[in-house]
Amino acid sequence: MRLRAITGFFFIIVMIGSNLLGPYVFSIFFLALSLLCLFEFYKLVRESGIKASRETGIINGGLLFLFFAANCYFPAWPFIFCLPVTFSAVFIQELYKKTQAPFSNIAFTFLGILFAVMPFMFFHAMAFIKGSESFNFHVPLAFLIMLWSNDTGAYLVGSKLGKTKLFERHSPKKTYEGLIGGIIISAVAALILSHFYVEYTWKQWVTMAILISCFGTMGDLVESMFKRSINVKDSGGILPGHGGLLDRFDGLLMAAPIVYAYLYFISN
């Protein structure tokens, strides 16, 4: 428990710092973080016997993130025509491998990019939701605070009052009571944030909190389903007492794209 608390403390400091140190640090940090998560994903599927193209997948994941991140600083759309060339390498590479299920390898290579990189692309884009060259750390930092508040509320309420299982087949400890507790605590955090971050109204912040709680929980369940499908408990051991990076960022899996879409439509 002590090791878990120490790891959690430094993890929060690093995450907050990545938001506060300016746009370039923010972009580089989340590029690196997304690629570490992708590496972790490929390591897991390889242990289960699926030979995903790890190096090619990481290169393509990095290029995809860089393309969308660069577009937040300057018009980078012409470079999109490079992506079909690099993505085709996943298929071509499989021609030279002697495997029984080449398309399973191809599918999991692309699934890794979808699973581990794209959520961070949407999270990164939240900082530039008002347009290119308009970096604002308020939204991504608030997202993290509301996500952490949801996790804390769900754990506290679920451990004390939880009785009705949410998805016992995928996550035996999650309950409807915990889900409701997470939503309430996250909404309270949103109300507090609305007094400091005035870009959006309190109703819009609370809406974001509800979306984060609901879809963050779904992302957690999807990641649990993935781990159970390959018979592993933790996605890795990079964070002592907390498991792997995918375990810590499973809430981003579905919540970040949904919240970005919400912000995009209310901002335009």
Side-chain angles (χ1 to χ4, degrees):
M1 183 62 72
R2 190 178 194 183
L3 179 62
R4 182 181 176 87
I6 294 172
T7 303
F9 173 77
F10 283 104
F11 172 78
I12 291 172
I13 294 298
V14 170
M15 294 302 299
I16 293 175
S18 69
N19 282 265
L20 300 180
L21 293 176
Y24 298 114
V25 172
F26 180 80
S27 297
I28 293 169
F29 178 81
F30 282 99
L31 167 63
L33 192 58
S34 66
L35 295 183
L36 286 171
C37 287
L38 184 57
F39 179 85
E40 197 171 83
F41 178 91
Y42 288 145
K43 183 173 180 289
L44 288 173
V45 297
R46 282 195 169 193
E47 288 174 357
S48 69
I50 299 166
K51 298 179 181 179
S53 301
R54 181 172 60 191
E55 292 77 14
T56 310
I58 289 174
I59 290 171
N60 277 287
L63 289 174
L64 185 65
F65 188 103
L66 279 172
F67 165 71
F68 281 96
N71 203 60
C72 294
Y73 294 94
F74 59 88
W77 292 110
F79 293 100
I80 196 172
F81 297 106
C82 297
L83 294 178
V85 177
T86 59
F87 272 71
S88 66
V90 178
F91 295 91
I92 296 170
Q93 186 178 16
E94 206 62 37
L95 290 172
Y96 294 91
K97 292 182 180 178
K98 295 181 180 180
T99 58
Q100 296 295 321
F103 274 89
S104 292
N105 301 335
I106 292 169
F108 273 91
T109 301
F110 285 112
L111 178 61
I113 296 172
L114 177 67
F115 191 88
V117 176
M118 290 193 70
F120 285 102
M121 287 166 45
F122 283 102
F123 179 80
H124 176 273
M126 289 181 198
F128 299 88
I129 195 68
K130 297 294 185 181
S132 60
E133 300 182 7
S134 58
F135 174 75
N136 184 351
F137 69 86
H138 290 177
V139 178
L141 182 57
F143 179 98
L144 291 174
I145 292 171
M146 289 185 284
L147 183 63
W148 295 334
S149 299
N150 171 70
D151 292 343
T152 303
Y155 173 76
L156 293 175
V157 176
S159 60
K160 298 293 183 181
L161 304 174
K163 293 181 180 179
T164 311
K165 301 297 182 182
L166 187 60
F167 273 94
E168 189 171 10
R169 182 158 53 96
H170 299 304
S171 186
K173 294 182 179 180
K174 279 192 168 40
T175 62
Y176 280 99
E177 292 83 0
L179 173 63
I180 294 170
I183 292 173
I184 293 172
I185 299 301
S186 185
V188 171
L191 285 172
I192 296 171
L193 287 167
S194 68
H195 290 285
F196 299 96
Y197 298 162
V198 296
E199 295 90 339
Y200 301 100
T201 66
W202 70 268
K203 292 180 181 179
Q204 291 169 334
W205 283 115
V206 170
T207 300
M208 279 186 256
I210 295 170
L211 291 173
I212 289 169
S213 296
C214 293
F215 287 96
T217 301
M218 289 296 112
D220 192 336
L221 289 167
V222 168
E223 202 249 354
S224 296
M225 180 173 64
F226 166 64
K227 290 189 295 183
R228 286 181 178 276
S229 70
I230 57 175
N231 297 314
V232 297
K233 181 181 179 182
D234 294 322
S235 64
I238 194 170
L239 298 172
H242 288 263
L245 290 172
L246 288 175
D247 293 325
R248 292 304 93 210
F249 292 101
D250 49 16
L252 274 163
L253 178 62
M254 295 176 68
I258 294 295
V259 171
Y260 176 81
Y262 170 73
L263 290 173
Y264 179 83
F265 285 116
I266 68 172
S267 297
N268 293 275

